[in-house]
Amino acid sequence: KAGVTQTPRYLIKTRGQQVTLSCSPISGHRSVSWYQQTPGQGLQFLFEYFSETQRNKGNFPGRFSGRQFSNSRSEMNVSTLELGDSALYLCASSLRTSGLAGEQYFGPGTRLTVT
Amino acid sequence: AQSVTQLDSQVPVFEEAPVELRCNYSSSVSVYLFWYVQYPNQGLQLLLKYLSGSTLVKGINGFEAEFNKSQTSFHLRKPSVHISDTAEYFCALRTGNQFYFGTGTSLTVIP
C-alpha cells in the first residue's frame, strides 16, 4: 500500500507570495491533518480535514487555509508569506473511525523556505 | 487542556547501552499515547502506541514503553541502542480526534 505523499518536497518562496502544498493520503484514509514543524516550536497542529470538511483547527492565523477533495487529497495554502513561515510542513492521514484510536501516518513533508 | 512534555531535548548514549526517553502528559480526559521517530529529512514513523490494556507496550526496532497513569508518564526504553537509532523522537497523545506532540528528544548514539 502506498504511503502518504506530499508535493513538492522543497519550495523556496519570497515574502508576500502565496504557496500551495499538496498531500495524498493512504488509500482508504479519509482524514488528513497538517502540521508545521520548526526547530523552536516543534510540531504544531494546523488543521484536520475529514470528508471534505475542516473538523479541527489549530491556533494559526487566517493566512493558513486548506481544503480536501472528494478523493481525500488535501491542499494547504499559505498567503502573504512571512519569513517565520519557513518550516517543514507535514501531512498525516488516518482512518479516523469511531472504533479505533487511529494512529496517523506521516508523509515526508514539504520544506518551505521563505526569503 | 492537553499537553505533552518531553523532559530531555537531547540524549547522548553509547552504542549498546540502554536508553530511556521521558514523556509526561497532561489531560483531563482519556488519552491514547504514541511514540514516533523522525530520521533526517523524513516524516514521522510510528514506533508504538498505547490504546488500552497492558501498560507495557512493545514497538518496532526493539523499543518499548510503559504507560503509568498515576504518574501521567509514557517513557520510551530500549535495552541496547544501535547507531541507526540516532534520530528525533516524539511523544504524542490523542484525545478525540486531535493530536498533541511533545517538542522532541534528539537521541544521539555514540560509537
Side-chain angles (χ1 to χ4, degrees), chain A residues 6 8 10 13-14 42 53-54 63 73 79 82 95 97 105:
Chain A
Q6 292 187 247
Y10 302 91
K13 290 285 188 179
T14 304
T53 302
Q54 187 181 89
R63 299 186 297 107
R73 188 177 70 86
S79 62
E82 301 176 359
L95 280 169
T97 63
Y105 296 84

Side-chain angles (χ1 to χ4, degrees), chain A residues 9 35 37 43 45 48 56 88 90 96 101-104 106-108, chain B residues 32 34 36 38 41-44 46 49 51 90 94 97-99 101:
Chain A
R9 290 293 311 277
Y35 295 86
Q37 185 180 21
L43 273 147
F45 172 74
E48 180 205 10
N56 290 293
L88 180 67
L90 292 165
R96 200 183 191 269
E103 65 262 29
Q104 294 186 322
F106 284 80
Chain B
Y32 303 110
F34 306 82
Y36 286 86
Q38 185 178 34
N41 298 315
Q42 295 186 27
L44 277 66
L46 180 68
K49 61 184 176 183
L51 305 182
F90 292 91
R94 175 178 174 144
N97 287 301
Q98 188 154 338
F99 278 78
F101 284 83

